[in-house]
Amino acid sequence: MRRRAYILPMKHAFELTSFRLIGLLPALLAVAACSANPATGKQSFTGFMSPAKELQVGAEEHPKMVKQFGGQFDDQDWPKYVREIGQELASYSEMPELPWTFTVLNDTQVNAFALPGGYVYITRGLLALASDEAEMAGVLSHEIGHVTARHTAQRYSSTMATNLGLQVLGVLSNAAGVPGAENIAAVGANLALKSYSRDQELESDMLGVRYMTRAGYDPDAMASFSRNCGRTNASKV
Ligand SMILES: [Zn+2]
């Protein structure tokens, strides 16, 4: 059987290099990577942010979040209480092995959010508004859902793909002055705090109800807390 190594003709090799497409190839290949999320069971595109990258982003952003939102609430009991409830809920998720970190922020605004890699935050203002443990568990479960559904990785990856697409168009129309792929990373750097889509919020609610139910809480507490928030005019407590 005849075999022959394929050799790219020199002229073409030069052209490819001159268009700097080679540098973009790993990113282009990543675009094709779609994987099923273990929590939602859906195919989602997270090719630009691996689970390892999520851990790295979370660890890097964590101290900044704590600082930005009033520092950690240094009461003796509340942080421990929230951590224990959070860890239990996370143990019922599809990612129990993540190094989950639950932080109570010393902020009177009613707020909760999550960073990729298992970082969940709840303000003391929210703790004051929650009627009982089940309502607090509902908020934590919803935030755990954002992490397990990998919503930040989805948003980051779709933004990167859009930017990359624009760059490739730039390459095709104008070979000179093409910015390197490393510049794209800066675009996605502040995505962690941008709001989620409505579909992602609904997905987190669905996952939150699942984790609450598994942990033995009444899942209606998630809805009752939302109603409670809607009734309460004061965002500061
Ligand atoms: Zn949410």
Side-chain angles (χ1 to χ4, degrees), residues 142-143 146 196 201:
H142 174 94
E143 296 304 325
H146 280 306
Y196 298 107
E201 292 301 347

Side-chain angles (χ1 to χ4, degrees), residues 91-124:
S91 76
Y92 289 106
S93 79
E94 294 76 11
M95 299 181 184
E97 75 289 348
L98 270 186
W100 292 93
T101 305
F102 295 88
T103 304
V104 181
L105 297 163
N106 192 16
D107 190 325
T108 54
Q109 303 271 351
V110 177
N111 204 356
F113 53 90
L115 288 176
Y119 293 84
V120 174
Y121 304 85
I122 191 167
T123 61
R124 72 182 175 97

